């Protein structure tokens, strides 16, 4: 329950940047950056840019988990598959891993007003963690994880994106691999590469 509260709070905080950039009655601009893969406009401070796909499950790279959970549920059975979120299951016989990947983009306007907003939101997520966070290097601008042998969460941010990955063993039929933080870090890094523009 706490994990989902954390997700809702994070989404609400990230949404403030978008909402505050519009006047009453104006439509809120899309968080998705332009499709151009060229250099950023000179008005941008030079942060790394990411875009959300049509379906997040198509972008999530689970290669780091395939030797433990070789089968993924069919696309038609994903619990959630939107531009921002993917909830899927990875399977090894009777062992099932629930995997949820959630992303949010900060608007260019919000980053221009406060270039440190990504770090500030990340630090807020760290403070709201339901367990003691452990830093993990080499993922985005910063990353941490927390959890136990049955449930684990990894949070990272980079440029205009924040990403949260939840891994849960279904029905506690087994425990998570001892190297699951590193594996989730690989999922995050590979998925960020797919979303980068």
């Amino acid at each position: 329950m706490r994990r989902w509260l954390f997700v809702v709070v994070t989404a609400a905080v990230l949404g403030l940047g978008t909402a505050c950039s519009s006047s009453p009655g104006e439509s809120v601009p899309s968080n998705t950056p332009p499709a151009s893969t060229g250099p950023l406009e000179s008005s941008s401070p030079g942060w790394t840019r990411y875009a959300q796909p049509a379906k997040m499950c198509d972008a999530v790279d689970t290669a780091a988990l395939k030797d433990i959970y070789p089968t993924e549920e069919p696309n038609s059975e994903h619990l959630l598959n939107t531009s921002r979120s993917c909830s899927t299951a990875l399977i090894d016989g009777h062992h099932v891993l629930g995997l949820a990947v959630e992303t949010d983009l900060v608007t260019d306007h919000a980053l221009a007003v406060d270039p440190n907003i990504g770090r500030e939101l990340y630090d807020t997520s760290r403070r709201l963690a339901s367990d003691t966070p452990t830093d993990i290097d080499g993922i985005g601008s910063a990353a941490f994880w927390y959890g136990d042998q049955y449930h684990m969460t990894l949070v990272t941010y980079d440029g205009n994106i924040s990403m949260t990955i939840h891994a849960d063993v279904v029905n506690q039929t087994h425990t998570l691999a001892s190297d699951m933080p590193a594996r989730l870090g690989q999922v995050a890094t590979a998925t960020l590469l797919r979303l980068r523009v």
Side-chain angles (χ1 to χ4, degrees), residues 143-167:
F144 68 87
W145 69 272
Y146 62 91
D148 58 31
Q149 60 185 340
Y150 299 112
H151 314 282
M152 193 167 292
T153 298
L154 183 141
V155 178
T156 186
Y157 84 98
D158 190 47
N160 67 331
I161 197 169
S162 65
M163 177 181 290
T164 302
I165 301 177
H166 303 284

Side-chain angles (χ1 to χ4, degrees), residues 12-43:
V13 170
L14 285 167
L16 288 177
T18 303
C20 292
S21 67
S22 298
S23 303
E26 273 186 23
S27 62
V28 176
S30 169
N31 281 350
T32 304
S36 170
T37 57
L40 295 176
E41 297 82 2
S42 58
S43 61

Side-chain angles (χ1 to χ4, degrees), residues 6-150:
F6 160 77
V7 170
V8 170
V9 170
T10 301
V13 170
L14 285 167
L16 288 177
T18 303
C20 292
S21 67
S22 298
S23 303
E26 273 186 23
S27 62
V28 176
S30 169
N31 281 350
T32 304
S36 170
T37 57
L40 295 176
E41 297 82 2
S42 58
S43 61
S44 297
W47 53 77
T48 305
R49 295 183 66 159
Y50 297 87
Q52 290 167 325
K55 299 288 186 181
M56 183 57 67
C57 289
D58 296 340
V60 174
D61 188 326
T62 60
L65 301 170
K66 289 297 186 184
D67 61 317
I68 305 176
Y69 304 98
T71 306
E72 185 170 355
E73 68 182 1
N75 288 347
S76 60
E77 294 181 20
H78 291 316
L79 292 176
L80 185 64
N81 191 8
T82 68
S83 64
R84 294 173 51 185
S85 303
C86 171
S87 182
T88 186
L90 304 175
I91 304 159
D92 175 25
H94 297 294
H95 296 162
V96 180
L97 179 76
L99 188 72
V101 178
E102 298 153 354
T103 61
D104 278 293
L105 298 183
V106 179
T107 64
D108 287 353
H109 173 76
L111 279 169
V113 171
D114 181 2
N116 297 315
I117 191 169
R119 182 66 197 206
E120 292 163 3
L121 294 169
Y122 171 85
D123 289 341
T124 298
S125 299
R126 206 172 192 285
R127 285 193 301 274
L128 292 173
S130 61
D131 201 350
T132 304
T134 300
D135 293 327
I136 183 168
D137 294 329
I139 305 161
S141 294
F144 68 87
W145 69 272
Y146 62 91
D148 58 31
Q149 60 185 340
Y150 299 112

